[in-house]
Amino acid sequence: MLPLIPVFLVGAVSAPLIKKIARGTVKSSVKLVLDARRVAHEINEDLSDIAAEATAEVFAADLQEGSEMPRQTVKKARSSTATT
């Protein structure tokens, strides 16, 4: 027969281990989210740089063609799909 171990003793012994596992899981998740945000920010900066370079090239091409004033770009308004 198996010796009877009080349930509270099992809980008391396993609680620190469970706490360490939960803490490690949360800590890893937070690190993963922070890394993802950093990468997304870098990608956004790269895309902004590419857009600025393309805009500068278009203006330079317009000036070389001899137009008096480069064409101006108009920012399109975003369409709202949210319902209120």
Side-chain angles (χ1 to χ4, degrees), residues 64-84:
Q64 285 180 351
E65 289 175 358
S67 63
E68 294 177 12
M69 192 165 169
R71 63 184 145 192
Q72 295 181 354
T73 57
V74 178
K75 204 172 196 180
K76 292 183 179 178
R78 290 185 181 180
S79 62
S80 175
T81 59
T83 57
T84 55

Side-chain angles (χ1 to χ4, degrees), residues 5-79:
I5 301 174
V7 176
F8 73 91
L9 187 58
V10 172
V13 170
S14 64
L17 179 62
I18 292 171
K19 185 177 179 182
K20 283 184 181 181
I21 291 171
R23 181 180 170 94
T25 303
V26 170
K27 193 174 180 180
S28 296
S29 299
V30 168
K31 285 182 181 179
L32 182 64
V33 168
L34 290 176
D35 286 344
R37 291 179 83 186
R38 181 185 51 80
V39 168
H41 180 73
E42 288 176 3
I43 290 171
N44 188 26
E45 283 183 351
D46 290 343
L47 290 175
S48 295
D49 290 346
I50 291 169
E53 289 172 7
T55 303
E57 289 174 6
V58 168
F59 282 143
D62 282 351
L63 289 175
Q64 285 180 351
E65 289 175 358
S67 63
E68 294 177 12
M69 192 165 169
R71 63 184 145 192
Q72 295 181 354
T73 57
V74 178
K75 204 172 196 180
K76 292 183 179 178
R78 290 185 181 180
S79 62

